[in-house]
Amino acid sequence: SSELTQDPAVSVALGQTVRITCQGDSLRGFYGAWYQQKPGQAPILLLYSKTNRPSGIPDRFSGSSSGNTASLTITGAQAEDEADYYCNSRDRSRHLVFGTGTKVTVL
Amino acid sequence: QVQLQESGPGLVKPSETVSLTCTVSGDSIASHFWAWIRQPPGKGLEWIGYIYYSGNTNYNPPLESRVHISIDTSKNQFSLKFNSVTAADTAVYYCARGAEDYGDYYLDYWGQGTLVTVSS
């Protein structure tokens, strides 16, 4: 199945903005989704179909997409946003694939 | 509210088969698709496979020869069997509900995960 590549780690100052990217061929045809995972917890869905947020997800989380790259932006990062973030998409064989994950540190 | 709960043995011997069950509440298993994902300690997420109510399945190609997912609509459960396990299969195993939006797939509800350790 296709691969999705993310930067291993990024840091952001409290209250500032950070963008996390996810690159892969499958993103040319599909928008994908984003998940947040805190230590010892299951992932939770943050965004799907580029810009849709499930109920309860703060609007400081937003998504965009261009070519083979999907992006997750956290505007006004909070201390509780410190977590691992994974992108996810499907390929044309309807196989799911996860990104390599990005660890976000809030300074 | 949709909830998923994994169950199964926490310790399995090498070469044996891991059998896990996911019990779904708050939703009918006749809707959506239902997935298994795993995460080795300290590593990222890996999709294992998913199943529809119809019984149609789709598996991650590198794992396909060792995996079987089934569904029991009468119990609102779906299950994973993973054979010939080795220490490399030690991971937290998650079940999740899948959904589709204009061709995009995503996983909107997840179980809490269950740690499976492969060791003699």
Side-chain angles (χ1 to χ4, degrees):
Chain A
S1 55
S2 302
E3 295 181 348
L4 295 176
T5 302
Q6 300 179 235
D7 290 332
V10 298
S11 60
V12 57
L14 186 68
Q16 296 303 300
T17 297
V18 63
R19 187 166 74 173
I20 305 162
T21 60
C22 171
Q23 287 189 302
D25 286 342
S26 64
L27 294 173
R28 292 190 185 278
F30 305 101
Y31 291 128
W34 288 94
Y35 305 85
Q36 178 193 67
Q37 185 181 34
K38 296 182 179 179
Q41 297 183 17
I44 62 169
L45 178 66
L46 285 181
L47 289 169
Y48 63 97
S49 298
K50 188 168 75 171
T51 60
N52 294 306
R53 281 187 307 275
S55 173
I57 301 301
D59 60 6
R60 64 178 180 271
F61 294 97
S62 62
S64 61
S65 178
S66 177
N68 73 336
T69 301
S71 299
L72 169 70
T73 299
I74 309 175
T75 304
Q78 303 299 303
E80 61 264 31
D81 299 335
E82 188 161 289
D84 293 328
Y85 291 82
Y86 293 91
C87 60
N88 156 238
S89 183
R90 55 160 285 192
D91 64 18
R92 296 195 183 279
S93 297
R94 297 186 295 120
H95 297 146
L96 300 185
V97 59
F98 285 96
T100 49
T102 299
K103 182 177 181 61
V104 172
T105 301
V106 179
L107 303 173
Chain B
Q1 183 180 354
V2 179
Q3 293 185 318
L4 295 89
Q5 178 68 58
E6 304 89 351
S7 59
L11 181 64
V12 181
K13 290 182 169 54
S15 80
E16 292 188 343
T17 296
V18 171
S19 295
L20 300 175
T21 295
C22 183
T23 301
V24 180
S25 58
D27 186 23
S28 169
I29 206 164
S31 66
H32 301 87
F33 64 90
W34 305 91
W36 287 99
I37 304 96
R38 69 179 183 176
Q39 185 172 36
K43 296 187 177 181
L45 300 169
E46 181 181 33
W47 169 65
I48 299 171
Y50 61 74
I51 189 166
Y52 287 95
Y53 168 79
S54 63
N56 288 342
T57 54
N58 203 341
Y59 300 125
N60 192 346
L63 305 175
E64 185 166 10
S65 63
R66 297 196 291 135
V67 173
H68 179 70
I69 298 175
S70 59
I71 193 165
D72 187 335
T73 55
S74 67
K75 295 181 179 178
N76 232 39
Q77 293 177 334
F78 63 107
S79 299
L80 169 70
K81 288 190 187 299
F82 204 119
N83 62 40
S84 305
V85 296
T86 69
D89 296 312
T90 293
V92 175
Y93 285 74
Y94 295 101
C95 59
R97 188 181 84 167
E100 182 176 350
D101 183 67
Y102 292 99
D104 261 304
Y105 288 7
Y106 57 95
L107 303 169
D108 56 358
Y109 290 94
W110 294 63
Q112 64 186 27
T114 186
L115 175 63
V116 175
T117 302
V118 180
S119 175
S120 55

